[in-house]
Amino acid sequence: MVIKIAWGITGSGHFLSETINVMKEIVKQEHVEITVFLSKAAIMVVRWYKIWDDLKSISPRVLIERGPNSPFIAGSLQTGEYDFLLIAPASANTVAKIVNGIADSLITNALALAQKGGVPVYILPTDQELGTIITTLPSGKSLKLIMREIDVENVNKLRLMKGIVVLKKPDEIKDVIKSFINRSNQKAKN
């Protein structure tokens, strides 16, 4: 059985390189198929970080947002074509929209319809704890960012939402995949 993943990327550079590396490992496994879809802001970040070729190596299917329902990934999510939706990394803007029920972008609309269809959702937010974080710029230089209280509050609200699992770091995506593979193997045995 093939595990089908819909992977949405938002406009955040934090966790992006680490997530790309994890997804490169995951796609090497048999029985894993990934469709990547980019928000409008993610397109800019992907170009800035020069990772377009990396995305194409992970999935031959990289979809670019033209509107909240275009390309029509949401319908495929709602009808169960995918085993789960992964949004990684999820920018503070995307998280704010999600916790306030705003579905006006490809990523937030896909999430809303995945939830309505009972499809599990996993999100890796960038702004998880108060304080400072160090992220890496495309040049390789480090950048210190101070997390805003409102963004951290929104992540805490996200953790309370039904049907959403909040991941703390990119490596946790591997555990999600393992659990789906194990469930798939159990179903095959029965």
Side-chain angles (χ1 to χ4, degrees), residues 68-83:
N69 245 345
S70 180
F72 193 57
I73 190 90
S76 300
L77 278 159
Q78 191 173 32
T79 58
E81 185 177 318
Y82 293 96
D83 292 289

Side-chain angles (χ1 to χ4, degrees), residues 51-68:
I51 59 168
W52 185 261
D53 290 340
D54 291 321
L55 289 179
K56 293 301 274 184
S57 75
I58 292 166
S59 174
R61 201 163 173 222
V62 178
L63 308 174
I64 296 172
E65 178 178 16
R66 292 185 302 276

Side-chain angles (χ1 to χ4, degrees), residues 25-42:
E25 286 180 45
I26 288 169
V27 80
K28 290 178 187 175
Q29 297 180 38
E30 290 183 30
H31 313 299
V32 175
E33 187 178 296
I34 301 170
T35 298
V36 178
F37 59 106
L38 305 174
S39 71
K40 289 178 182 176

Side-chain angles (χ1 to χ4, degrees), residues 61-190:
R61 201 163 173 222
V62 178
L63 308 174
I64 296 172
E65 178 178 16
R66 292 185 302 276
N69 245 345
S70 180
F72 193 57
I73 190 90
S76 300
L77 278 159
Q78 191 173 32
T79 58
E81 185 177 318
Y82 293 96
D83 292 289
F84 66 90
L85 170 62
L86 171 66
I87 302 173
S91 66
N93 185 55
T94 297
V95 170
K97 287 182 176 190
I98 292 167
V99 300
N100 286 290
I102 299 169
D104 68 346
S105 71
L106 182 63
I107 303 280
T108 56
N109 191 45
L111 177 131
L113 292 177
Q115 282 189 302
K116 289 179 179 183
V119 175
V121 177
Y122 297 86
I123 302 178
L124 177 64
T126 56
D127 301 51
Q128 296 194 30
E129 296 177 4
L130 287 175
T132 59
I133 62 167
I134 304 296
T135 191
T136 305
L137 296 170
S139 65
K141 290 182 180 179
S142 295
L143 176 66
K144 182 170 104 172
L145 299 173
I146 301 166
M147 297 299 97
R148 299 182 321 158
E149 190 172 325
I150 187 69
D151 297 328
V152 173
E153 286 174 15
N154 284 335
V155 170
N156 289 333
K157 290 176 187 176
L158 189 66
R159 286 186 174 99
L160 300 174
M161 293 180 72
K162 185 177 179 180
I164 294 176
V165 175
V166 174
L167 305 175
K168 290 185 179 183
K169 56 189 178 187
D171 277 341
E172 291 180 14
I173 299 167
K174 294 177 196 175
D175 297 330
V176 172
I177 300 298
K178 277 185 204 170
S179 72
F180 273 88
I181 290 172
N182 290 341
R183 279 186 246 163
S184 177
N185 290 340
Q186 284 297 96
K187 286 180 183 178
K189 288 179 184 179
N190 294 337

